[in-house]
């Protein structure tokens, strides 16, 4: 089992008959999944997703994989395969296509439909290659076979890649619901057949590798939702992910059975459900759907809202309802169902939403008190099935933080993959597959690329560090005007402060000291603005720290007149 | 069941033979528990704790209850009863004593010992009144009876308060472990006896009211910890709360049984365990404890560390170990046990610690994968016992967020408390108990009081709002020097920016525009600095928003020379 090698250098030139694997995202983190496969000077990419920022990345909208490694070789990209339509797999595609718009995008019907809608918003017209499960198709020397997999979005695919350098199976995200709503099973038989042929390397989804046992069937939620509908005699509001078409289907079915009408709320919910309905992934009984405005005319016990906002996003409809800041007014005995997972990091915001809704008298049903969500990722029990069916020569856990990758590696070893043939790599670590052996051979840059507003990559770690200090402590700016000829201070230093919590009047105490120090400096012939700024920074920094035990950012400005 | 009344006015003067209840903290939140009881012009306070800030309160160290309601009446305070020694019950005492140092502090032996140590750090010598379970003692007209309760810290008490206006029972924090390690049970028989006498109002801990069933016994952890010790052949590091003396006892027992030595790490851990040992609450076999420095001389399979940092606090020993930034170097196959709850809001930081430890090859045992923690608060099953034993005339859930208070209220109604006699109040809501009926009669201020550095209360909501903007977007400061006589601009506007992610060079584009606007203003005879600042703010704000889709704080400074 390979361990992290912070000292890894750049990889050697790609040897002959070698398949190189370069994960640019998704290893050591949950999100921005992207893996580059190289053979014979050509590239195949699988997935190109975004990572959502945490509190460590304040003000950031999205985090992208670093495309630097492939930037000069974009013309060598044979295709970009998208395993399914979730943001952490397709979200960065618009940004990659800005650099080369005609990369062929390969995916299932639904995946490409969701991707096209997204690219349309970015005014990009992509080159699309639709594939289905069971299909085999070559992109240059990459001979790809697609397998159906079951996940929390329909029409997901795993991809087998055969090259003269070796063959591998990349599962994408998957679980193994044995009674899926759409009857579309994870193609374990296909995995077995490919395994029998000889799979040199398995890359498999590690998200739930720490969770023992098996994921409950999506179907088992139906009874719980039906029960909620049976008991509710006021309005029902269901919040879930806008991509979870099967979950929404179950809500529509329950609403239909209980004689209620449904309105969709939230831009992405409305957009995705239109796509899913048009393509036949969502079945909507006639007359079931109404516009949110028509809902007001219905008695509460005939109304259902299906909304985004299950993660307590500040601007979402649900959060605004919880704050009574939305046209939909939560009333006593309304029922709100959070039919989704709770993504780590969102606990506080979801908790605030639950408290807000409870305060107005709503009953809140969530995964903590009812089976209204099942995961989209295989648990350990299911991962073992895949390992035992594929019997890969080498194993590389993907899609997960360190804890998940390591747990998945343990599972692989339990099924008999030798420790030396289990490769735990993190983003940027380069793995070469040669003569049936996978080896770490180097590393390439794979840092975070931040999207903030319209710009990509110009917000640096140093700007984020400044934001963290400013966000904790605020700043104090001291402006000193200096005569550029004589070096003498003109007037009094002026102080501006925000977020420091220190009243401007308090500075009357320190301004004379700064003035004295500056006058002394002038007398000593010090006129270098950098030195003067340093003098001001030290003087006021020390005063704030001693008086208030705080460390706001000090911004000294010397204006030369 | 009373609902929130945001329109509540100030309460009327206290009528005769009325017991008034004013919760200043802990209702609608988890933390800063403090309740004021008033009778005949005199006050009794129960608990005076702190709340720990969330990401909504950046840079804040602690949040206190607002003492404003009692500030002018501190001389009327007969006593401050502390139910137990947790920070959310005693943490604000030093700040209250700054306003009147000789308030009698009433509590059990351990509670007062922990409190004294804390007050010693603030150089306060308090007036202490030690009480024990079963004791009855009057403070003015407040006739108090103390009952033993079991909690996640030893020596916790519930308090019954009898006044001519009515009698009530305040449980404090409690659970009902029927086989507690110290044999000290929650005095349910005492509650029953008091109930038989007639309890007008029950105030009971709501933290776990949503959790069905019963809390597992602390004793059941022993087997799990023993198992961890039996399997580990390298170092063992156990992180838990510094106040959880029984948990530490179990670790010491396991270490002793497996022939290991133990070192305490972390200031509060060392301090509390010394107090607990001196008072006989912690039993330490001779020769078991060593200094952390001596630990290096022991083989890894003989070493145990008991440390703080179970919540992933950035500066804690455990977090620094995870980042390899501590004298204790995590090695492959070390075992780390997080023997504590995961306080909501800390999920991300704990996750980062687990990933860090896993990355270095440590095995991490936590409540997600083993029974190494049980809650300190009664679940619904146990809360029902108390309701059924006390049979209160009125019920008021305390210690919890809205969701918990409401769940507890439901439990009370299930046991037969009439809906009209269940009072859900939040912080500041005033409840009068008169002739056996509890009623909401008004509200008093009970906002957050922030401690930041050495100062209390001078960081306002507006400063926090500034911090949130600065933390998300940074700032751009534009400094313009203006001739105070002519109103003409001197030199070029100067731009300083931090955290905006916009390079200083980019401003070359906008500076001429600002200059033009200012010159135009001068030509129009506009010299008012406020108007000039507004002009600059608008000009640069519009440019940043249009060019970058960002909204940093704009700080225009007009220096008049």
């Amino acid at each position: 089992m390979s361990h992290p090698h912070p000292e890894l250098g750049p990889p050697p030139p790609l040897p002959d008959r070698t398949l190189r694997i370069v994960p640019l995202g998704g290893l050591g983190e949950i999100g921005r999944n992207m893996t580059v496969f190289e053979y014979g000077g050509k590239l195949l990419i699988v997935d190109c997703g975004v990572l959502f920022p945490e509190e460590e990345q304040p003000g950031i909208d999205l985090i992208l994989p670093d495309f630097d490694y492939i930037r000069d070789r974009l013309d060598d990209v044979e295709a970009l395969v998208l395993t399914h339509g979730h943001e952490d797999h397709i979200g960065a595609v618009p940004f990659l296509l800005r650099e080369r718009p005609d990369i062929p995008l390969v995916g299932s019907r639904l995946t490409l439909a969701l991707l096209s809608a997204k690219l349309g918003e970015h005014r990009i017209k992509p080159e699309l290659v639709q594939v289905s499960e069971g299909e085999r198709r070559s992109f240059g020397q990459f001979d790809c076979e697609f397998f159906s997999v079951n996940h929390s979005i329909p029409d997901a695919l795993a991809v087998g890649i055969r090259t003269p350098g070796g063959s591998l199976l990349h599962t994408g995200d998957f679980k193994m619901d044995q009674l899926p709503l759409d009857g579309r099973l994870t193609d374990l038989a296909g995995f077995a057949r490919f395994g029998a042929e000889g799979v040199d390397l398995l890359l498999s989804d590690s998200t739930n590798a720490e969770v023992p046992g098996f994921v409950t069937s999506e179907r088992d939620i139906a009874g719980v939702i039906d029960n909620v509908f049976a008991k509710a005699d006021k309005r029902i509001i269901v919040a879930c992910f806008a991509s979870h078409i099967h979950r929404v289907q179950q809500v529509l079915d329950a609403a239909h059975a209980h004689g209620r009408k449904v309105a969709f709320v939230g831009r992405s919910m409305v957009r995705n459900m239109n796509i899913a309905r048009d393509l036949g992934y969502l079945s909507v009984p006639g007359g079931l759907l109404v516009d949110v405005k028509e809902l007001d005319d219905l008695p509460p016990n005939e109304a259902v809202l299906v909304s985004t906002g299950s993660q307590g996003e500040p601007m979402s409809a649900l959060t605004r309802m919880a704050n009574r800041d939305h046209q939909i007014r939560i009333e006593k005995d309304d029922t709100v169902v959070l039919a989704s997972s709770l993504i780590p990091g969102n606990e506080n915001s979801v908790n605030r939403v639950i408290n807000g809704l409870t305060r107005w008298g709503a009953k809140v049903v969530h995964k903590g008190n009812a089976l209204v969500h099942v995961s989209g990722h295989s648990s350990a029990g299911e991962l073992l099935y895949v390992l035992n069916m594929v019997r890969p020569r080498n194993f590389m856990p993907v899609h997960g933080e360190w804890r998940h990758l390591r747990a998945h590696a343990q599972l692989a070893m339990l099924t008999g993959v030798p420790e030396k043939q289990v490769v735990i790599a993190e983003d940027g670590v380069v793995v070469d597959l040669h003569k049936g052996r996978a080896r770490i051979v180097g590393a390439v840059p794979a840092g975070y690329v931040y999207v903030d507003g319209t710009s990509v990559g110009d917000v640096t770690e140093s700007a984020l560090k400044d934001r963290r200090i400013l966000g904790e402590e605020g700043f104090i700016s001291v402006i000193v005007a200096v005569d550029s000829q004589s070096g003498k201070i003109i007037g009094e230093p002026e102080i501006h402060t925000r977020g420091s919590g220190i009243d401007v009047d308090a500075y009357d105490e320190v301004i004379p000291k700064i003035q004295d120090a500056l006058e002394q400096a002038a007398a000593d012939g010090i006129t270098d603005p950098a030195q003067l700024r340093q003098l001001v920074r030290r003087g006021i920094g020390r005063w704030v720290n001693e008086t208030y035990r705080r460390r706001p950012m000090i911004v000294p400005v010397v204006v030369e007149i």
Side-chain angles (χ1 to χ4, degrees), chain A:
Chain A
M1 186 161 50
S2 310
H3 283 287
H5 299 272
E7 71 284 7
L8 284 172
L14 185 59
D16 275 351
R17 300 194 69 78
T18 301
L19 175 56
R20 176 162 285 180
I21 299 105
V22 187
L24 292 181
L27 276 71
E29 67 201 347
I30 304 268
R32 62 164 196 159
N33 296 289
M34 180 171 186
T35 311
V36 177
F37 298 96
E38 282 183 77
Y39 183 79
K42 297 289 182 178
L43 312 178
L44 181 87
I45 305 173
V46 173
D47 290 329
C48 186
V50 293
L51 174 69
F52 293 100
E54 294 185 5
E55 77 270 24
E56 292 293 292
Q57 292 101 20
I60 294 300
D61 301 324
L62 292 171
I63 301 171
L64 307 181
D66 186 349
F67 300 147
D68 209 46
Y69 176 65
I70 55 170
R71 187 157 278 127
D72 294 337
R73 305 166 61 196
L74 286 172
D75 288 336
D76 296 328
V77 176
E78 302 279 12
L80 165 55
V81 174
L82 289 321
T83 57
H84 62 279
H86 278 153
E87 286 299 312
D88 56 334
H89 291 256
I90 67 168
V93 175
F95 299 94
L96 184 63
L97 293 198
R98 279 189 198 175
E99 311 206 9
R100 183 189 148 197
D102 64 345
I103 296 175
L105 306 182
V106 183
S108 70
R109 187 154 162 259
L110 179 64
T111 304
L112 293 184
L114 293 170
L115 183 58
S116 299
K118 165 180 289 292
L119 292 170
E121 287 169 6
H122 285 256
R123 290 155 210 266
I124 299 172
K125 256 194 90 66
E127 189 160 318
L128 301 178
V129 183
Q130 188 178 309
V131 293
S132 302
E133 51 263 36
E135 201 170 329
R136 195 160 162 175
R137 186 150 184 162
S138 285
F139 304 95
Q141 293 201 79
F142 299 95
D143 171 8
C144 295
E145 180 173 357
F146 299 93
F147 302 90
S148 67
V149 292
N150 171 246
H151 186 40
S152 44
I153 187 170
D155 227 9
L157 294 171
V159 56
I161 304 173
R162 294 171 176 91
T163 73
S167 64
L168 58 84
L169 175 62
H170 189 312
T171 64
D173 285 351
F174 79 105
K175 62 174 170 173
M176 300 218 290
D177 196 333
Q178 293 302 296
L179 296 167
L181 281 186
D182 59 2
R184 189 173 173 275
L185 291 159
T186 291
D187 184 11
L188 205 53
F191 288 0
R193 185 178 37 70
F194 191 23
E197 181 188 315
V199 168
D200 294 311
L201 178 66
L202 172 65
L203 298 95
S204 181
D205 174 10
S206 310
T207 314
N208 272 348
E210 286 186 312
V211 181
F214 296 81
V215 181
T216 310
S217 175
E218 174 73 23
R219 201 176 283 264
D220 291 352
I221 295 178
V224 181
I225 293 183
D226 191 75
N227 198 16
V228 168
F229 274 69
K231 276 193 191 160
D233 47 12
K234 292 287 173 61
R235 221 165 14 186
I236 299 173
I237 297 155
V238 182
C240 74
F241 290 119
S243 61
H244 208 319
I245 295 164
H246 289 157
R247 191 68 45 83
V248 172
Q249 182 70 61
Q250 303 213 77
V251 177
L252 298 189
D253 294 348
H256 187 56
H258 290 272
R260 289 180 180 247
K261 306 273 184 202
V262 178
F264 291 125
V265 182
R267 202 175 57 92
S268 55
M269 182 65 78
V270 172
R271 185 193 71 183
N272 288 1
M273 291 310 137
N274 274 334
I275 292 172
R277 189 185 185 181
D278 290 348
L279 299 184
Y281 292 95
L282 187 74
S283 139
V284 185
L288 182 73
L289 289 185
V290 294
D291 190 86
V292 67
K293 282 177 203 115
E294 301 170 56
L295 219 58
D296 282 342
D297 303 332
L298 291 173
N301 65 354
E302 290 179 20
V304 178
L305 279 129
V306 175
S307 142
T308 52
S310 64
Q311 300 302 311
E313 301 91 333
M315 298 310 294
S316 69
L318 193 69
T319 300
R320 283 157 50 216
M321 288 180 215
N323 298 336
R324 281 255 166 116
D325 176 28
H326 192 271
Q327 47 165 325
I328 307 288
R329 208 178 144 85
I330 297 289
E331 302 290 351
K332 189 164 180 293
D333 297 328
D334 281 349
T335 302
V336 180
V337 184
L338 302 178
S340 66
S341 65
L342 179 44
I343 295 178
N346 296 341
E347 292 84 357
N348 278 348
S349 36
V350 171
N351 189 40
R352 271 193 289 272
V353 166
I354 294 177
N355 275 313
L357 297 166
T358 312
R359 195 188 150 127
W360 305 117
K363 203 180 131 188
V364 184
V365 181
H366 52 87
K367 61 175 245 177
N369 58 22
L371 183 71
V372 290
H373 174 72
V374 298
S375 173
H377 301 271
S378 292
S379 292
E382 289 143 333
L383 296 174
L384 289 171
Y385 271 77
V386 172
L387 282 157
N388 282 326
M389 283 301 213
V390 178
R391 297 234 146 257
R393 287 199 188 88
N394 301 273
F395 178 67
M396 179 167 162
V398 296
H399 303 180
E401 301 171 358
W402 266 95
R403 51 192 293 183
H404 311 122
L405 301 180
R406 201 165 273 276
H408 205 175
Q410 297 286 353
L411 294 176
M413 291 189 280
L414 286 174
T415 66
V417 183
E419 180 164 356
K420 285 199 308 190
Q421 281 146 250
V422 174
V423 182
I424 303 191
E426 53 193 329
D427 291 345
V429 169
V430 177
V431 176
D432 275 1
L433 182 64
H434 181 72
K435 293 192 175 162
R437 240 337 268 289
R439 270 191 204 83
I440 290 177
V441 297
V444 302
Y448 285 168
V449 173
Y450 298 115
V451 179
D452 185 358
T454 53
S455 63
V456 179
D458 64 351
V459 174
T460 58
E461 292 297 339
S462 130
L464 288 188
K465 197 179 157 202
D466 282 348
R467 285 185 188 175
R468 287 192 286 261
I469 296 170
L470 288 167
E472 292 272 304
E473 304 269 3
F475 73 89
I476 299 173
S477 177
V478 186
I479 296 118
V480 182
V482 172
D483 187 298
S484 57
Q485 321 271 240
S486 68
K488 287 198 100 171
I489 319 168
I490 305 169
E492 269 206 348
E494 228 183 286
I495 293 202
H496 289 253
T497 177
R498 298 292 171 90
S500 70
I502 301 169
D503 198 78
V504 161
D505 293 341
Y507 298 98
D508 291 349
E509 189 183 324
V510 71
I511 286 179
K513 290 183 199 167
I514 295 174
Q515 217 155 0
D516 288 351
L518 288 170
E519 274 161 18
Q520 183 60 47
D524 296 348
I526 299 171
T527 54
D528 173 25
Q531 274 182 285
L532 295 178
R533 280 199 297 270
Q534 183 65 3
L535 209 68
V536 172
R537 181 182 291 118
R538 278 211 199 118
I540 196 146
R542 192 176 302 138
W543 170 76
V544 174
N545 187 23
E546 280 168 7
T547 318
Y548 295 93
R549 294 271 159 231
R550 295 186 202 159
R551 301 191 168 279
M553 184 180 282
I554 311 288
V555 186
V557 178
V558 175
V559 182
E560 287 181 280
I561 306 289

